[in-house]
């Protein structure tokens, strides 16, 4: 009987110590997230992870997500990858935070690993679409549309990096149709010129037509459409 009681007491002390440790970790996280200084917030979040990572704290995933997505002095591309990958590995992120983490990771991987960038960009699009379908209020739907458009833009960058000009053009067009950002048209024209140089005249024509439709005053694009048609043997058109 004494052994049973002793065991129960030891178990209670262990759980009590765990609860106290979790409470201290919670306080560290709250202190970090209530800081008004990005630099201080980042430092406190790193302190939180140094003391509480791997101990089952409920905020570990969000601490990593914040260090991946927020701006602070000294932040590197490797920091984005390390914290972002860890946040995804831990799971439990809300859809909005997840989309921001995925977007940041995809943007970095465009330069390092286009295939991985495409995977993450597609996850942004899929996650945002699913979340949008659950929304009933227009302001929230607009938020998800921006993320979908951003996902298509990063997808286009990854496809362009992989020299898949046709797919890149399609992704940029999807992004432009949502975001209506003139900078995206410049990307479409760049892809069109790459396709033209590769003698993929049908793909180049599609890109230049899209650029001209977006800006009817863009006579350069119209001229390039004509050149594509000529190169493709469509002289009458």
């Amino acid at each position: 009987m004494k052994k049973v009681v002793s065991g129960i007491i030891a178990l209670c002390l262990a759980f009590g110590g765990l609860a106290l440790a979790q409470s201290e970790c919670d306080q560290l996280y709250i202190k970090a997230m209530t800081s008004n200084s990005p630099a201080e917030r980042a430092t406190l979040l790193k302190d939180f992870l140094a003391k509480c990572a791997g101990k089952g704290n409920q905020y570990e995933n969000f601490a990593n997500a914040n260090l991946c997505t927020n701006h602070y002095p000294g932040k590197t591309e490797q920091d984005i990858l390390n914290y972002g990958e860890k946040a995804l590995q831990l799971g439990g992120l809300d859809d909005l935070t997840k989309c921001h983490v995925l977007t940041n990771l995809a943007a970095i991987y465009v330069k390092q690993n286009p295939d991985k960038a495409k995977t993450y960009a597609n996850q942004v699009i899929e996650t945002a679409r699913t979340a949008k379908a659950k929304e009933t209020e227009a302001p929230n739907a607009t938020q998800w549309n921006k993320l979908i458009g951003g996902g298509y833009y990063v997808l286009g960058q990854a496809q362009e990096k992989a020299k898949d000009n046709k797919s890149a053009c399609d992704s940029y067009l999807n992004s432009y149709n949502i975001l209506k950002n003139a900078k995206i048209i410049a990307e479409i024209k760049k892809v069109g010129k790459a396709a033209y140089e590769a003698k993929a005249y049908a793909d180049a024509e599609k890109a230049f037509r899209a650029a001209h439709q977006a800006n009817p005053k863009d006579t350069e694009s119209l001229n390039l459409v004509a050149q594509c048609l000529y190169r493709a043997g469509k002289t009458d058109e």
Side-chain angles (χ1 to χ4, degrees), residues 54-210:
K55 297 180 180 179
N57 185 269
Q58 61 180 326
Y59 299 120
E60 184 180 351
N61 53 351
F62 285 102
N64 280 283
N66 273 281
L67 288 168
C68 168
T69 58
N70 289 349
H71 298 288
Y72 52 88
K75 182 180 178 182
T76 67
E77 291 187 350
Q78 193 59 49
D79 287 333
I80 294 173
L81 297 181
N82 291 342
Y83 292 121
E85 294 282 11
K86 187 62 178 179
L88 294 179
Q89 178 188 337
L90 290 167
L93 300 173
D94 60 272
D95 289 335
L96 183 59
T97 302
K98 183 179 179 181
C99 281
H100 286 311
V101 169
L102 287 167
T103 300
N104 276 263
L105 289 173
I108 299 300
Y109 277 127
V110 164
K111 296 176 284 185
Q112 300 183 12
N113 188 334
D115 286 339
K116 201 163 188 176
K118 286 186 280 187
T119 297
Y120 282 144
N122 277 315
Q123 286 182 30
V124 173
I125 297 166
E126 181 182 352
T127 301
R129 276 180 173 166
T130 301
K132 179 187 173 183
K134 302 174 186 176
E135 298 287 356
T136 57
E137 298 181 14
N140 291 331
T142 300
Q143 169 184 261
W144 297 119
N145 280 337
K146 289 180 178 178
L147 286 165
I148 294 168
Y152 272 121
Y153 181 78
V154 179
L155 179 61
Q157 289 187 312
Q159 291 163 334
E160 183 182 351
K161 184 72 173 179
K163 301 188 184 306
D164 184 358
N165 295 316
K166 183 178 185 301
S167 297
C169 182
D170 290 339
S171 294
Y172 283 140
L173 281 172
N174 285 332
S175 180
Y176 178 77
N177 288 334
I178 296 171
L179 301 178
K180 301 298 182 184
N181 188 320
K183 292 181 180 180
I184 301 173
I185 296 300
E187 298 290 345
I188 293 173
K189 289 180 68 173
K190 186 170 70 171
V191 167
K193 290 176 180 178
Y196 185 89
E197 291 173 0
K199 299 182 179 181
Y201 299 120
D203 295 338
E205 178 196 341
K206 180 180 179 180
F208 296 136
R209 281 189 185 278

